[in-house]
Amino acid sequence: MFAGAPSACGALEAHHEGSSHTRACVIASRFLTGGVINALEPLARAVLYVALMIMVGLPIGMAGVVLPVFRRHDVAAQTALKFARRGLLVACLATMVGATAFFVAQVAPLELEFSSVAEWAEFVQRALLGQMWIARLALGLVALVIVKFGANPAAWLAGCALAGLATQATLTRTSHSAAMGEGWLPVAADFAHLFAGALWGGGLIALLIAVGGAQREDIETTRALIGRFAPFGIAGVALAAGTGIALSSVHVADAETLQASDYGRLILIKVVLVVGAVALAALHRFVILRRMRSQLDVRRFRRALLVESILVLGIFAGAALLASTSPPHHVVTHQMPDGSTHMMLMTDPVFQRALQIAALAILAAGAIACALEWRTRLRSQTR
Amino acid sequence: MLVSADPAPNSTIGTAPKQIKLLFNEALQDVGHTIALLDEKQNKIAIGKAMLDPKDQAKKTVIAEIPTALAAGNYRVDWKALSTDGHTVKGSFKFTLAEMVEMTLKFAFKAGKEPVACGKEIKNLGARRTTAQIMDARMYISNIRLIGPGGEVPFELVPDGKWQTDRVALLDFEDGSAMCKETGNADLRDVIIGKAPAGKYTGIVFDLGIPFELNHADVAVEAAPLNIQALWWNWQTGYKFVRIDLATNSAPPNDKWFIHLGSTGCGMMEKGHSSDPHGMANKPPEKPCNNPNIVTVRLNRFDPNKDQIVADLAGLLTNVNIAQSTPKPAGCMSGVDDPDCRRLIPNFGLSLAKGQCVNGCRGQRFFRVEAAAKP
């Protein structure tokens, strides 16, 4: 019998009470359906999110920041590319492992029993989570092959980023925003949110590779790297914050729910982490960069960058927990004349409007700051 | 999250359900759902496989057919559903299938202690103690529940092809005589006949009005009693839940005062009032009405075997000046901005601005309980 763990274990327990086989099965069963399963889903999500952040953001950071700066400063890029390639290979593998763990974590609570492999295969084929699992595995494998065997860095960086973006789209397809069926805008915001996080986090990792592994203590190159990364970082942070706030306006009904629900509290924790990371980024840009005179300063910057990256990882862990928690939707239903049921999300319009305005303001401020950074960079290049 | 279920959780029903239907707030995956039905002894009852309801394009409804007729008793439904976001939601609820007995609910239309009828003058009505007589007096009742020791149980209407469908009953207190000739007819109806689980009841809850899903139909093709043109506005606005037309002894143009309670703010047509600029008059609304104006009446200390429910016109017109009316329309037609509704609508227990019950419509002054006259 090809069965879900609990019933299979039940049968085993009846026949082989106390055997090691039974104990192992019971442990597996507890792992799959007990308290541990609650931790497995956010854990698997976190692995997926971070892996995709690397698959999408690292190639963009390498192609958009590191390689152009190295080219201008005549720095050899082989070491950085070697680190990047290794990082991407690990990320591709982690995507496949994370996707599988994610699938297991989501299927196990169903406690489904399958009488044959064919029945199980049919479930995988028909269930959206099965389809998305297969898609994630396939995309991870394609990216792995491209990164491993690609000769031209531009090609394997682009291929990996595209596969990562497609995998992010599969996550959006199974997001809270897609499930609530309120149109394409929340789904698009969800995708933009994931992409923005990758742009920011993956860019930071590219920077770490450049100033850490590949380009040690070269002050001018480091300054150039920070300067070139700034607009990418600002764009990523602003887009992540703006879309994050916009999504909160969709999933959180009012200010009270923000404080009273697990979902709302996780959002607040995420906000605190984002504010911390942004403060640190501002410190890099406006204090450390201007004071950077010695190799000691470069080492300090590297440490600060590491701290910022850890904060970003914390944000991704928060995002994984958030996505694994049900949003506190307040729904009112009405029977319609055609027999269907009309559902309305009950929300506080003032709260919603305030969040929407805040989201737009952050996006606008981000766009302006981005433009100013580009202008500064262009001027310094001209000089 | 489970939004609603049929049979409803913890409900008592009188008719054996043919399917279990679960409605969720999020879209569901095509497979992965389970529904189990268990009897009092925790035995599993064979039912169909849980599947998405093909009628629900939003994929938010799961159904499972019940092929055999259930016997009276207590049942439990265990369910699991797989949301599009990959989360499994699961839960369990109980319902009771009860044996039903036929009952008759008695109603009376009075002004204080005096019965009201066509051609009979009613004195001291409203804030100015106006004298009036009725030209029409009809109302729709739905969603009746009796209150017993274990809570509310359904009172299932017995359709008769004239006064009741299985969802809505009509009460008719005009006999088409005297001033009732213009809109009325000869028949009278002061009872509602239905079935409820056998037992002792101490209260009743009902809605004065028609559920939204039935309120926006074409009166020309509907079955009785939802086929009365005089109790219907149009598809967008629906039926007049209550129609009480009064002829007062005031001089024209204040000699008429109409009470027409119904839903408002139901669609685009009302933006342009009667001119119907959007051509919506012959279509049902696309979303629920802003002001449903359905009155939920809760009467405690009501014994269906001994008591009757009185619709008290004097109570309804408390502090309402029917000696005068702002023209167009004369009286209150449920309009949010109609000055004649300002005092009247709160006497139904409703908020004029929102058209919904204030504090469970406990402030309503229209209905009360009194001992029924012995036959």
Side-chain angles (χ1 to χ4, degrees):
Chain A
M1 186 175 164
F2 189 78
S7 52
C9 289
L12 275 172
E13 273 180 295
H15 291 97
H16 310 280
E17 199 173 336
S19 72
S20 59
H21 189 174
T22 312
R23 278 197 299 276
C25 191
V26 171
I27 291 165
S29 143
R30 282 187 189 146
F31 179 75
L32 288 174
T33 58
V36 183
I37 197 72
N38 297 329
L40 182 60
E41 188 189 329
L43 201 68
R45 265 190 201 273
V47 169
L48 253 180
Y49 285 179
V50 172
L52 290 174
M53 170 193 86
I54 295 169
M55 279 178 71
V56 174
L58 180 56
I60 294 175
M62 290 300 292
V65 179
V66 177
L67 296 181
V69 169
F70 277 16
R71 213 174 295 127
R72 189 164 303 120
H73 289 76
D74 284 330
V75 177
Q78 282 91 339
T79 316
L81 282 171
K82 191 177 80 183
F83 276 112
R85 195 195 283 260
R86 280 184 192 164
L88 289 176
L89 286 173
V90 170
C92 293
L93 277 171
T95 297
M96 291 189 279
V97 172
T100 305
F102 189 44
F103 175 71
V104 170
Q106 294 203 312
V107 171
L110 287 169
E111 296 171 359
L112 295 173
E113 289 184 12
F114 301 104
S115 54
S116 65
V117 175
E119 201 178 306
W120 178 83
E122 192 196 342
F123 169 78
V124 172
Q125 187 197 333
R126 287 187 61 200
L128 186 66
L129 61 86
Q131 294 162 8
M132 293 301 113
W133 172 50
I134 299 294
R136 286 162 197 156
L137 281 181
L139 286 163
L141 191 64
V142 166
L144 188 87
V145 170
I146 292 173
V147 174
K148 176 77 183 163
F149 300 107
N152 180 356
W156 56 260
L157 286 172
C160 186
L162 285 174
L165 278 171
T167 316
Q168 283 187 335
T170 67
L171 281 175
T172 303
R173 178 69 186 88
T174 54
S175 64
H176 294 313
S177 302
M180 69 192 289
E182 291 285 314
W184 62 271
L185 205 56
V187 182
D190 208 283
F191 181 73
H193 192 63
L194 279 175
F195 170 70
L199 192 64
W200 180 20
L204 274 177
I205 290 173
L207 210 56
L208 260 177
I209 287 174
V211 300
Q215 185 54 42
R216 303 184 85 81
E217 292 150 25
D218 177 344
I219 297 169
E220 276 314 303
T221 311
T222 305
R223 287 171 70 101
L225 283 168
I226 298 173
R228 184 144 178 128
F229 174 69
F232 284 88
I234 291 168
V237 170
L239 191 58
T243 51
I245 290 171
L247 286 168
S248 301
S249 82
V250 174
H251 295 301
V252 182
D254 48 39
E256 197 190 329
T257 311
L258 194 62
Q259 300 161 40
S261 65
D262 288 347
Y263 194 85
R265 283 193 286 265
L266 280 169
I267 288 177
L268 293 177
I269 290 170
K270 249 182 100 181
V271 167
V272 169
L273 289 171
V274 169
V275 168
V278 168
L280 213 55
L283 188 77
H284 299 157
R285 172 68 185 83
F286 297 110
V287 181
I288 295 178
L289 179 65
R290 282 177 190 166
R291 286 185 189 167
M292 197 175 279
R293 300 279 180 270
S294 67
Q295 291 179 343
L296 186 67
D297 292 331
V298 176
R299 282 199 290 273
R300 274 192 197 133
F301 168 69
R302 215 156 45 212
R303 277 199 297 275
L305 203 60
L306 202 62
V307 173
E308 189 184 337
S309 302
I310 291 167
L311 268 178
V312 171
L313 286 178
I315 295 166
F316 273 83
L321 269 173
L322 195 64
S324 303
T325 308
S326 286
H329 293 154
H330 298 241
V331 181
V332 172
T333 58
H334 293 273
Q335 285 295 117
M336 296 298 285
D338 63 0
S340 64
T341 304
H342 183 275
M343 275 191 230
M344 279 197 312
L345 282 175
M346 298 303 285
T347 52
D348 173 2
V350 177
F351 177 74
Q352 306 289 302
R353 189 54 56 88
L355 286 186
Q356 285 159 4
I357 290 170
L360 286 175
I362 285 174
L363 289 173
I368 292 167
C370 231
L372 289 174
E373 277 293 340
W374 274 109
R375 199 180 66 169
T376 310
R377 208 176 59 78
L378 286 174
R379 275 184 182 169
S380 66
Q381 277 179 9
T382 317
R383 264 189 254 126
Chain B
M1 183 176 77
L2 182 68
V3 173
S4 67
D6 184 17
N10 303 318
S11 65
T12 302
I13 54 172
T15 310
K18 288 181 177 157
Q19 66 169 203
I20 295 166
K21 191 172 181 179
L22 309 174
L23 176 69
F24 296 86
N25 71 327
E26 290 189 332
L28 303 168
Q29 305 208 10
D30 290 346
V31 288
H33 322 295
T34 53
I35 297 177
L37 178 65
L38 296 95
D39 65 14
E40 285 169 342
K41 293 172 184 166
Q42 309 301 314
N43 294 322
K44 259 192 179 181
I45 294 165
I47 60 171
K49 199 174 176 186
M51 55 189 270
L52 286 182
D53 184 355
K55 290 179 198 157
D56 180 9
Q57 293 186 340
K59 294 188 171 184
K60 292 182 177 179
T61 309
V62 178
I63 54 169
E65 300 298 328
I66 305 174
T68 51
L70 298 178
N74 296 315
Y75 292 92
R76 197 180 88 204
V77 176
D78 292 343
W79 57 266
K80 271 184 215 147
L82 182 56
S83 168
T84 300
D85 61 19
H87 289 143
T88 298
V89 275
K90 56 183 173 181
S92 168
F93 64 84
K94 291 177 179 170
F95 71 89
T96 302
L97 178 60
E99 277 182 39
M100 309 291 264
V101 292
E102 193 160 299
M103 284 185 194
T104 300
L105 303 177
K106 295 175 272 297
F107 286 78
F109 189 40
K110 293 188 174 183
K113 290 181 179 175
E114 290 299 314
V116 174
C118 295
K120 185 179 177 185
E121 279 202 337
I122 319 157
K123 293 190 174 157
N124 300 325
L125 278 178
R128 297 280 170 89
R129 295 177 166 273
T130 308
T131 299
Q133 59 175 290
I134 59 166
M135 300 165 67
D136 203 334
R138 285 179 274 186
M139 62 198 74
Y140 286 110
I141 305 287
S142 62
N143 197 19
I144 304 170
R145 287 95 73 204
L146 294 173
I147 304 170
E152 292 178 11
V153 297
F155 181 87
E156 292 185 355
L157 296 177
V158 176
D160 60 9
K162 184 171 183 182
W163 298 106
Q164 304 184 172
T165 67
D166 62 343
R167 302 280 308 276
V168 180
L170 175 67
L171 295 173
D172 185 343
F173 299 106
E174 55 73 32
D175 60 6
S177 67
M179 295 186 85
C180 299
K181 203 180 288 177
E182 193 181 329
T183 57
N185 54 49
D187 294 328
L188 286 165
R189 178 74 166 183
D190 61 358
V191 292
I192 295 177
I193 297 167
K195 287 179 178 176
K200 188 163 172 56
Y201 297 104
T202 55
I204 187 169
V205 187
F206 61 87
D207 286 351
L208 176 64
I210 295 173
F212 175 74
E213 66 271 24
L214 303 177
N215 188 31
H216 302 276
D218 182 359
V219 74
V221 297
E222 283 299 306
L226 295 173
N227 61 347
I228 302 169
Q229 192 78 41
L231 297 180
W232 189 74
W233 277 311
N234 52 56
W235 274 7
Q236 282 274 289
T237 314
Y239 289 86
K240 297 166 191 176
F241 304 154
V242 175
R243 177 172 186 162
I244 302 173
D245 293 354
L246 297 171
T248 70
N249 60 355
S250 304
N254 292 316
D255 58 338
K256 302 275 193 300
W257 221 93
F258 301 140
I259 301 167
H260 293 185
L261 181 72
S263 297
T264 60
C266 299
M268 295 174 75
M269 181 192 158
E270 293 197 10
K271 284 183 181 170
H273 297 282
S274 56
S275 58
D276 188 17
H278 304 287
M280 300 296 286
N282 293 326
K283 291 175 186 168
E286 288 166 353
K287 62 182 181 67
C289 305
N290 293 337
N291 293 50
N293 283 328
I294 292 177
V295 183
T296 300
V297 180
R298 175 178 284 269
L299 299 170
N300 296 320
R301 288 192 284 276
F302 171 75
D303 181 344
N305 296 318
K306 296 177 185 166
D307 298 325
Q308 67 179 359
I309 297 160
V310 175
D312 184 355
L313 185 60
L316 180 62
L317 293 175
T318 305
N319 298 326
V320 179
N321 181 8
I322 59 165
Q324 273 190 318
S325 72
T326 52
K328 289 184 184 177
C332 170
M333 303 277 175
S334 304
V336 175
D337 48 6
D338 184 344
D340 291 331
C341 291
R342 215 169 285 155
R343 291 280 170 89
L344 181 79
I345 294 292
N347 286 346
F348 279 114
L350 296 169
S351 149
L352 176 61
K354 294 182 177 173
Q356 287 173 340
C357 279
V358 176
N359 197 17
C361 283
R362 286 196 184 96
Q364 68 85 17
R365 294 177 170 210
F366 193 22
F367 292 97
R368 59 183 164 81
V369 175
E370 67 174 31
K374 285 182 181 165

